[in-house]
Amino acid sequence: DEFLNLPLENYILTFDDGLYTQYKFFNEIKKIKTEKYFFISSGIICPENIKQDSEYITCVQAHKKAFNGDFSNYMKWSQINEIDKTKNCFIGCHSHFHMRKTAGCVECIILDNQKMFSEFKNNLEKMPDSFCFPYNYDTPLYKEILFKKGFNKFFSGERIDIFDI
């Protein structure tokens, strides 16, 4: 709640990982008059039939739970689609596996991209054109592969953390 009182309209806002708590505050977030990007890792989505956990936890904590099969701290595709249909809100890709080591391994990038493209095509019915590198770890190779696939907006370590405002 405290962050919603900051002059956020002066920034492009980015939200990583598709945490359910981002959706929980979506009615307030969408009122902020600026572009908002929600970067989704397509392999870390809460199934539609699972009850979501609205407790605020960090991305690291949510990842640990997800990597053990508990996706309750993440958004569902229906919620992601709702965000995508909202003015000044954009869905971007954030990989499929959200692995730290993917950026330097061509085979890993190709496999990750294939799964990510398939999930977005099947569940969002379009391919986003923006990408945020997991852990803000980008390389020219990774960026070039995505650029050739139609991505034209890239986000990584140049972003400012909300806690630094």
Side-chain angles (χ1 to χ4, degrees), residues 13-18 22 29 36-40 159:
L13 303 181
T14 63
F15 302 89
D16 289 3
D17 301 330
Q22 296 164 1
I29 291 169
K36 295 161 282 292
Y37 288 83
F38 293 80
F39 291 104
I40 307 297
R159 298 178 299 156

Side-chain angles (χ1 to χ4, degrees), residues 11-77:
Y11 302 92
I12 293 173
L13 303 181
T14 63
F15 302 89
D16 289 3
D17 301 330
L19 294 172
Y20 176 64
T21 49
Q22 296 164 1
Y23 182 77
K24 181 179 164 186
F25 286 96
F26 185 61
N27 284 331
E28 295 302 317
I29 291 169
K30 68 183 177 183
K31 294 175 187 174
I32 302 167
K33 294 181 178 169
T34 190
E35 292 182 355
K36 295 161 282 292
Y37 288 83
F38 293 80
F39 291 104
I40 307 297
S41 293
S42 58
I44 310 174
I45 304 289
C46 185
E48 294 292 330
N49 63 338
I50 300 294
K51 183 179 183 328
Q52 289 165 298
D53 185 348
S54 62
E55 172 192 11
Y56 175 79
I57 65 173
T58 66
C59 292
V60 172
Q61 293 168 317
H63 281 48
K64 284 180 183 177
K65 288 174 66 177
F67 296 150
N68 286 315
D70 180 353
F71 300 98
S72 63
N73 291 103
Y74 291 91
M75 289 187 227
K76 300 176 179 189
W77 279 112

